[in-house]
Structures are given as C-alpha cells and as structure tokens.
Amino acid sequence: MADSHKKEIDQISGVETTGHEWDGLKELNNPLPRWWLYLFYVTIVWAVIYWVLYPAWPLVNGYTHGLLGSNQREEAVAAYEKGIAEQSEFADKIVATSLEDISKDQELLQFALASGQAAFGDNCAPCHGTGGTGAEGYPNLQDDTWIWGGTLDDIHTTLLYGIRTDNDDTRVGDMPAFGRDELLSRDEINQVSNFVASRAGLETDEGVDLAAGQVLYEDNCAACHGDNLEGIQEVGAPSLMSANYLYGKTLADIKEQVFNARNGVMPAWNERLDPATIKSLTVYVHSFGGGQ
C-alpha cells in the first residue's frame, strides 16, 4: 500500500504540492509572505482594540458603548446643530439688511451668494439651467432682456410672488391667443406677424401687406408692447425689438405665439422658501450680470 502522506515535489517549480488537484492542475504549497501575515495579525489586534474602545457590538436592547464613550452620531448631530446656529445668525442678518446693503458687507455677501447658489441649484436650475442661461419658454437670467425688470427689487418681487400663480400678489400679463380664440383671422395673424418680424430685423414672407400689419399691431398689440415695440414692463409685455425671444425668434415662432399665445408660470417662492433664502436667491441671480 502506498504512503498517502508522501511528499510530492512539482518538477517545474521544485515546490511541494498540497495534494489538491483539479483537472490535472496541482496546487503548490507556497506559504504566505511573513509581512502579509504580520499585517493581518495587526489588523486583528486593531479590531479587538477598536471593539473595546468604541461602540461596536449590537445587543438585544442597545449596543456596547466602548471605554471612550465616543458616539459619532451625537458628534454629527452636534456639528449639524452648530452649523445651523451659525447659518441662522447670518440668515437673521440677511433678513434685517436691505438688498442694496448686503453687497456692501463682504462677509454677508459671500454667505448670500453661497446660500443663493445652493437654493438656485435645488429650485431654479431645472427650468433656468445651472448657469441661468434658460431654455425655450424659460428666461435667460444672464442677458439684458427682463420682462418684469432685472433690478434687485424686481427680482425679489418676482421670486416672492411668482408669475401667473394663484398668489394674490402675483404678476399677471397674459397675452391673448388671437388665433385660437378667433380674435384675428389667419390672414391678419400673418400680416401682423410679418410686421413685427420686419421691425425686428427678421426675414418676412413675400407679398404680405406690412402696412395692414402695422394697423393690426396698433389696434391689438401696441397697448401692451408699445407703439415702438419696446414693451411695457409694468404689464409684463416683452420688448419685440430685443435680441432674445422667450419662445423663439423666427417668423414661424412669432406666428405661433400670436395664434396660440403660450404664457408660462413661475412659482411663488414665498410659499416654499424662507425670507433669508429668497433674499439670498435675489442677490445670487442678480450677480449673473443680466439685471440692471
């Protein structure tokens, strides 16, 4: 009978095998490096020390608190409450300081910009973009085209009460749907749209009576957009001579707007955000440079 404990040496490596074989492949009995073993033992000792010093083991009605009595949850809560207290101090100053004076206090301005940026990312960026550049139907906050005004007070009022919301103090400036509501015929819409396009420096359709379009504009549009097409901020009527149109600046876009009249809605943030956050948002949006 052969000795089952007889050592077998691998002919290629000269290393003893363990006796384990899989599909003709034999396992070599290579011991782990000593440095690796020592490091492994150190981690075991470290774990035991950690278990003794810090909270570690769950029990039926609690957990082991450790000899040091450390509690990371309590430390995290304390750090959070400290941060909230520090922010509350600045927030109170923001509320008590006028919008114009916030920029004169560098520390207060820095807090307002940081707080406003965070609030903008959470509440405004989905519509206006992370940099405030807007999209079709959502105003660009970096340009000089502000339907309701771009001063600090204008921005603050817009943030507080929104546009076309159910808030009692909201700003409302609805444009009639001249085609959908059958206020003008298709030919008349075509004429007035071409007239606006011609004044805005856009290409127009051939053979359209622009003089008739001007008469239609004066009768139906000038009361809001002004005789010179520069818009009237008090009623939220945009300038038709500006470089940017909210719903696109082509003749086709103008025709669609005159016919269908898309009117966007912005939330009234005084129902969702605290006064300090709204003022910080005002300062941050105004810092884009598009406001006056």
Side-chain angles (χ1 to χ4, degrees), residues 3 37 39 59 72 74 82 143 167 206 235 247 259 286 290:
D3 184 1
L37 285 173
L39 183 61
L59 303 174
Q72 292 181 339
E74 293 179 356
K82 179 182 178 182
D143 63 21
N167 187 285
E206 294 184 5
V235 297
Y247 293 102
F259 186 93
H286 189 263

Side-chain angles (χ1 to χ4, degrees), residues 185-196 205-210 213 216 251 255 258:
S185 68
R186 288 232 176 227
D187 286 342
E188 290 173 326
I189 291 175
N190 187 45
Q191 290 171 345
V192 73
S193 297
N194 272 272
F195 168 73
V196 171
D205 295 328
E206 294 184 5
V208 176
D209 189 348
L210 296 181
L216 288 167
L251 177 58
K255 290 179 180 179
V258 174

Side-chain angles (χ1 to χ4, degrees), residues 109-280:
L109 175 61
Q110 186 175 5
F111 175 83
L113 290 174
S115 177
Q117 182 178 17
F120 187 90
D122 292 340
N123 301 281
C124 314
C127 292
H128 292 284
T130 54
T133 53
E136 183 175 326
Y138 302 99
N140 183 345
L141 304 178
Q142 293 193 14
D143 63 21
D144 295 325
T145 304
W146 289 72
I147 298 175
W148 294 99
T151 66
L152 284 168
D153 289 335
D154 291 330
I155 296 171
H156 189 238
T157 300
T158 300
L159 285 170
L160 281 173
Y161 309 120
I163 304 297
R164 302 182 187 91
T165 68
D166 56 3
N167 187 285
D168 292 337
D169 296 312
T170 193
R171 288 168 158 176
V172 179
D174 288 334
M175 174 176 173
F178 289 97
R180 188 179 64 225
D181 295 339
E182 299 181 351
L183 301 175
L184 295 176
S185 68
R186 288 232 176 227
D187 286 342
E188 290 173 326
I189 291 175
N190 187 45
Q191 290 171 345
V192 73
S193 297
N194 272 272
F195 168 73
V196 171
S198 69
R199 291 292 304 274
L202 304 176
E203 291 186 7
T204 59
D205 295 328
E206 294 184 5
V208 176
D209 189 348
L210 296 181
Q214 181 175 0
V215 173
L216 288 167
Y217 175 87
E218 293 170 351
D219 292 342
N220 298 275
C221 313
C224 292
H225 292 284
D227 294 333
N228 56 3
L229 284 77
E230 292 292 345
I232 301 177
Q233 180 180 313
E234 289 73 18
V235 297
S239 169
L240 303 178
M241 302 295 290
S242 68
N244 299 314
Y245 277 35
L246 189 58
Y247 293 102
K249 191 176 182 180
T250 67
L251 177 58
D253 293 326
I254 295 173
K255 290 179 180 179
E256 173 62 22
Q257 182 64 9
V258 174
F259 186 93
N260 225 15
R262 293 157 289 182
N263 294 300
V265 176
M266 176 178 168
W269 292 104
N270 68 338
E271 302 171 0
R272 311 185 187 194
L273 301 176
D274 60 83
T277 301
I278 292 178
K279 291 185 77 172
S280 296

Side-chain angles (χ1 to χ4, degrees), residues 8-29:
E8 181 181 3
I9 305 300
D10 180 62
Q11 294 181 356
I12 298 177
S13 64
V15 178
E16 178 186 356
T17 68
T18 63
H20 300 152
E21 181 178 344
W22 294 271
D23 296 331
L25 300 176
K26 296 182 179 182
E27 180 183 20
L28 302 182
N29 189 18

Side-chain angles (χ1 to χ4, degrees), residues 1-7:
M1 181 176 180
D3 184 1
S4 58
H5 298 288
K6 184 178 179 180
K7 294 182 179 180

